[in-house]
Amino acid sequence: MPTVAVFSLGGTIAMTTGTDGGVVPALGAADLVAAVPGLAETGISVEVTDFRRLPGAGLGFADLAALVAAAAETGSDGIVVTQGTDTIEETAYALDLLWTHDTPLVVTGAMRNPTLAGADGPANLLAAVRVAAVPEARGMGCLVVLGDEIHAARWVRKTHTTSPAAFRSPDIGPVGLVAEGRPRLLTRPIRHGLRIDEPTATVRTGVVPVVLGDDGELLRQAGAVLDGLVVAAFGVGHVPVSTVDVLTDLAHAKPVVLASRIGAGPVLAHTYGYPGAEADLLRRGLIGAGALDPYKARILLHLLLAAGQDRDGVAGAFATVDGRAPEDARPPS
């Protein structure tokens, strides 16, 4: 009988009506598991840990580090984490970077809270437990399971504010699905190959988008208080020429990562060469995010800086995640 450990962090899946009429995270892991029809018939032994009771937006890096440490001690065949969907695309990627074990780690949640008709939490939790229990999910890092779809943490995004079908992986689609109660893994994405040391330093990182008519002042002010910055640029990595000098100065002082605000497709490196284009910015010392969207790029940047990496270490890590050789992290000549 496989054993799956369920860690509940709160979120919509764990919410009930509060004193002011709105829903609040109040249900623990045992409550969630008890509400899942058919779980007992799966032949999977479920152990529960009521780890946090927070909305998704209330989670932080310290919570995730503590979760990884606790999950590593369980000795279970699989781990399931339930949390709020607001931050799943970010927390799942952080867990993927920090989780060094072959044991499946599956994150799930709900778009409809338990007080609503058609609440999706029980079905999502059942599917997540099934995925975490199968040997085929070993070595795949962190997976996200909602709506009977299995997504790789690196690619998944929340694409709608309320739809139960909110989670998509724009570049590759789901890596599997659950049908007739059986997980079916359709492909195995290449793992990132990184080994990030335990985060010990307190750092501050952020994402700043460029916008039409941007004069760079917001970038300048943000950069002054951040240890590292992700620029969410236009298209394949373009910014207004009025921001170029600001970004150049920042890139000389700290790691500045160039990502695309589009949300699908990579930042390029050698196609456009005018001032403010990707090749120009990389020559000025910015670090290409590859195919990582700005929010996932910020997760990687934050964990690297918190683990003590310098600018070259950050650049090499982004090259590795993007499937490039570390020497490809050097700015183009």
Side-chain angles (χ1 to χ4, degrees):
M1 179 181 292
T3 301
V4 171
V6 175
F7 289 80
S8 64
L9 302 184
T12 295
I13 192 172
M15 291 194 180
T16 57
T17 304
T19 55
D20 64 352
V23 292
V24 296
L27 303 177
D31 301 313
L32 299 180
V33 168
V36 178
L39 183 58
E41 287 73 46
T42 63
I44 301 169
S45 175
V46 176
E47 302 170 348
V48 298
T49 300
D50 192 14
F51 200 71
R52 299 284 190 274
R53 294 192 184 185
L54 295 170
L59 296 170
F61 285 98
D63 298 306
L64 301 180
L67 174 64
V68 167
E73 296 295 323
T74 65
S76 300
D77 298 298
I79 308 293
V80 169
V81 177
T82 65
Q83 68 154 90
T85 60
D86 281 354
T87 52
I88 278 182
E89 64 187 277
E90 294 183 60
T91 60
Y93 186 53
L95 292 173
D96 188 60
L97 292 169
L98 295 172
W99 187 249
T100 59
H101 309 279
D102 286 338
T103 304
L105 175 61
V106 180
V107 178
T108 192
M111 293 296 295
R112 292 175 175 166
N113 71 73
T115 71
L116 299 177
D120 53 332
N124 288 339
L125 180 52
L126 178 59
V129 169
R130 289 186 184 276
V131 171
V134 297
E136 293 83 357
R138 292 183 59 82
M140 293 187 70
C142 183
L143 300 171
V144 174
V145 174
L146 290 105
D148 284 338
E149 291 185 339
I150 307 168
H151 294 266
R154 172 180 171 175
W155 302 107
V156 73
R157 299 193 76 191
K158 186 175 181 179
T159 62
H160 197 278
T161 58
T162 59
S163 171
F167 284 84
R168 294 284 184 267
S169 295
D171 282 312
I172 68 166
V175 298
L177 53 87
V178 179
E180 295 183 322
R182 183 169 70 88
R184 306 181 186 192
L185 278 303
L186 306 176
T187 186
R188 297 182 69 85
I190 298 173
R191 290 301 309 281
H192 50 74
L194 289 180
R195 189 86 177 192
I196 299 179
D197 294 335
E198 181 181 353
T200 56
T202 299
V203 297
R204 181 179 289 165
T205 57
V207 177
V208 179
V210 295
V211 293
L212 187 69
D214 202 322
D215 64 0
E217 185 56 30
L218 183 57
L219 286 165
R220 188 191 308 277
Q221 292 187 28
V225 297
L226 296 175
D227 300 292
L229 172 67
V230 176
V231 181
F234 298 121
V236 297
H238 301 161
V239 301
V241 68
S242 53
T243 69
V244 168
D245 288 344
V246 174
L247 289 172
T248 302
D249 291 342
L250 290 174
H252 288 164
K254 62 195 65 183
V256 178
V257 176
L258 179 67
S260 172
R261 69 181 203 174
I262 302 301
V267 165
L268 298 184
H270 307 290
T271 300
Y272 297 89
Y274 59 82
E278 81 284 348
D280 174 63
L281 295 173
L282 296 177
R283 280 193 294 267
R284 294 171 182 271
L286 277 71
I287 299 166
L292 289 179
D293 68 49
Y295 306 112
K296 286 185 169 60
R298 183 254 169 179
I299 292 293
L300 177 56
L301 174 63
H302 188 100
L303 291 175
L304 290 168
L305 293 179
Q309 291 287 348
D310 59 12
R311 191 266 176 206
D312 289 342
V314 170
F318 272 89
T320 299
V321 165
D322 199 42
R324 296 173 283 153
E327 56 267 24
D328 291 340
R330 292 194 297 266
S333 57

